Amino acid sequence: MHELFTTGNIILKTLESHGYKGYFVGGCVRDHHMGRTINDVDITTDALPEDIERIFEHTIDVGKEHGTIIVLVEDTPFEVTTFRTESEYSDFRRPDQVIFTRDLYSDLERRDFTMNAMAMNDDFTIIDPYDGMDAISHRMIATVGLASERFNEDALRILRAARFSSQLQFEVSEETRRAMAEHAENLRHVAVERSVTELTKLYLGMDPKRGKVLVVDTRLNKYLPFFDRVDDASFLRTDVRSLEDELALQIHLSPELAQSLSALKLSNAVKSYIGNIIRLLDMVDSASIRELAYGFDTGILANAISMIQANGWLETGDRRAHLQSALNMKPALPIADASEIDLDGHALMTLFNARGGRWIRTVLTAVEQEILYGRLENDRYKIIEWVKAHVEFEAGDIKITEK
């Protein structure tokens, strides 16, 4: 048994000793039944949030109004949530009211898919009132109850179906697929950050192509920021393993899409990665191997090689070999970036007895190129000698000579 279940079982038995019931629930039970990796464990109970806080010494309130308390056991956090039912979802995102209940089946009934509506007790016996195990055995994604009702409650579930299809390589039941298409426009009500999280997981799944085909078949892409501007053929043309790579390739195919990227509210790090991939693909045919090796980090070069290998239409001439040569050259470069130059702006200002300005960048760029191409050793004193011999500075004007 996985150690998270073993540790979590302390919570279940503690609840039982105080007269309450506790169960493992949701995705962890599904993954346990399927023999998949367990990353986290959720627990549900008939104990109210106040009871949970009273029973356990180390707790964190992360959503008491919704019934969720984090319980720390042996420094491991477990989300413990009170059995609950939910009222109408007028905004297609969250219930208007959460109602606590003493009935486990009522709690399981509100969940999205039958494979996620299973619980497991402290003897590790699975409780499966909605035939989740049968759905798993048939590799089928089906909603608990009517699909239209589940998707009207929380529109994100529509996208989660596509994500699970990629992650688990499951088919989607006909009723669920039909309801996905009928309610696709409700995705407009979902916070973009939540949609991006699901899309990120879809691309990290075992079969993102399967998930993408489902997205197109049910027209989910027409109601997702950025993707609503990508035609179906271009969307299905790419074979990638991350959302970032998908976005980069789509912009590479249609540069005007770059102006739609901000709608996804991505982090600066992700946007930087996408920009670097696009820049690399745009210049790979014209830049030298040394320029590519110096201009891009190892991860960008390696990912671009993999993308070209997976998407044969990207291979024009010898792009992959060109990038591989750049990747091989990178460890042998005299400097990794400009910060490693053994001279800085302060030294230049002292040398010329001048104030700072753009001229410093001009000189350091020239020095950088000399070092990069092996014409100058990255040694402070040799760099100063080179600057004295090749840089003319007068009244703020700079000139680099060849002498």
Side-chain angles (χ1 to χ4, degrees):
M1 184 58 61
H2 194 282
E3 62 180 356
L4 282 175
F5 285 125
T6 302
T7 305
N9 215 19
I10 296 172
I11 296 176
L12 269 55
K13 290 186 178 299
T14 302
L15 287 167
E16 185 177 348
S17 70
H18 284 78
Y20 299 101
K21 299 174 183 176
Y23 303 89
F24 301 112
V25 71
C28 66
V29 180
R30 176 199 69 226
D31 290 341
H32 167 68
H33 178 67
M34 294 180 65
R36 286 167 49 86
T37 300
I38 306 294
N39 295 313
D40 56 67
V41 165
D42 292 330
I43 292 171
T44 189
T45 178
D46 59 350
L48 294 173
E50 295 79 7
D51 298 322
I52 298 169
E53 291 179 314
R54 173 177 54 80
I55 292 169
F56 296 97
E57 182 178 359
H58 302 292
T59 63
I60 304 172
D61 177 2
V62 292
K64 195 171 182 177
E65 68 278 14
H66 298 294
T68 301
I69 301 291
I70 285 181
V71 175
L72 293 167
V73 178
E74 298 177 0
D75 295 324
T76 301
F78 293 86
E79 279 196 4
V80 182
T81 302
T82 303
F83 297 163
R84 65 193 190 191
T85 60
E86 296 166 348
S87 61
E88 296 296 316
Y89 287 66
S90 57
D91 63 358
F92 304 99
R93 292 180 292 176
R94 59 181 70 85
D96 298 334
Q97 183 181 9
V98 172
I99 304 167
F100 298 138
T101 179
R102 304 280 294 184
D103 181 40
L104 171 64
Y105 284 22
S106 296
D107 180 88
L108 296 178
E109 185 181 28
R110 70 179 175 82
R111 296 176 184 271
D112 52 8
F113 306 111
T114 58
M115 62 184 182
N116 296 332
M118 300 186 294
M120 188 166 68
N121 64 20
D122 59 358
D123 292 326
F124 306 112
T125 300
I126 292 179
I127 299 155
D128 182 22
Y130 302 105
D131 297 323
M133 287 190 285
D134 183 66
I136 290 171
S137 68
H138 288 90
R139 306 186 67 80
M140 186 66 65
I141 297 169
T143 58
V144 178
L146 295 176
S148 292
E149 290 183 2
R150 296 292 82 77
F151 294 152
N152 261 334
E153 290 168 349
D154 184 355
L156 188 68
R157 290 170 172 171
I158 303 170
L159 196 53
R160 279 168 60 84
R163 185 254 284 190
F164 283 125
S165 178
S166 168
Q167 282 187 324
L168 304 176
Q169 293 182 300
F170 279 16
E171 295 297 326
V172 176
S173 74
E174 187 55 40
E175 182 204 351
T176 301
R177 180 185 290 264
R178 186 166 55 250
M180 288 172 68
E182 290 173 355
H183 297 276
E185 65 179 319
N186 290 348
L187 285 172
R188 295 191 187 280
H189 301 289
V190 175
V192 66
E193 294 88 348
R194 297 179 75 204
S195 293
V196 166
T197 295
E198 292 301 320
L199 287 169
T200 298
K201 293 177 180 179
L202 183 155
Y203 281 98
L204 293 175
M206 294 189 294
D207 193 355
K209 197 75 171 181
R210 178 194 295 261
K212 289 174 64 175
V213 169
L214 179 60
V215 164
V216 169
D217 286 349
T218 53
R219 297 182 59 76
L220 306 189
N221 51 323
K222 303 306 178 185
Y223 302 98
L224 293 170
F226 183 90
F227 291 100
D228 58 356
R229 299 181 181 275
V230 178
D231 65 86
D232 291 350
S234 296
F235 181 59
L236 294 176
R237 184 183 186 187
T238 57
D239 184 357
V240 294
R241 291 296 182 271
S242 75
L243 174 60
E244 299 94 319
D245 287 348
E246 179 72 74
L247 298 171
L249 280 192
Q250 293 302 336
I251 295 173
H252 178 67
L253 285 168
S254 303
E256 67 275 11
L257 286 171
Q259 62 188 358
S260 300
L261 193 63
S262 61
L264 294 174
K265 299 183 180 180
L266 303 171
S267 68
N268 289 334
V270 170
K271 288 187 288 187
S272 175
Y273 170 85
I274 292 170
N276 279 324
I277 288 289
I278 295 169
R279 187 165 61 90
L280 176 55
L281 292 175
D282 287 345
M283 66 185 288
V284 62
D285 296 324
S286 58
S288 70
I289 291 173
R290 189 173 293 269
E291 286 174 324
L292 295 174
Y294 185 67
F296 299 91
D297 68 34
T298 299
I300 295 291
L301 292 168
N303 284 359
I305 292 170
S306 297
M307 289 168 67
I308 293 172
Q309 184 172 8
N311 298 270
W313 52 270
L314 279 173
E315 181 64 279
T316 57
D318 56 355
R319 279 182 168 182
R320 192 149 53 101
H322 203 53
L323 290 173
Q324 187 62 56
S325 295
L327 187 60
N328 294 341
M329 176 184 287
K330 194 165 184 67
L333 292 175
I335 53 175
D337 55 52
S339 68
E340 293 188 356
I341 297 175
D342 197 15
L343 191 75
D344 58 21
H346 293 292
L348 288 173
M349 287 188 288
T350 299
L351 181 62
F352 290 103
N353 192 27
R355 298 173 62 182
R358 292 182 180 178
W359 67 272
I360 293 175
R361 170 48 49 199
T362 302
V363 173
L364 288 177
T365 298
V367 169
E368 180 182 26
Q369 291 299 303
E370 292 298 309
I371 295 172
L372 180 61
Y373 283 91
R375 297 186 292 265
L376 175 62
E377 187 178 339
N378 188 26
D379 175 84
R380 181 179 184 85
Y381 298 104
K382 291 183 179 180
I383 295 172
I384 289 174
E385 289 303 313
W386 184 92
V387 169
K388 288 179 178 178
H390 294 83
V391 177
E392 295 179 0
F393 182 88
E394 184 175 350
D397 292 329
I398 198 79
K399 181 179 179 181
I400 310 294
T401 67
E402 297 294 330
K403 64 181 181 179

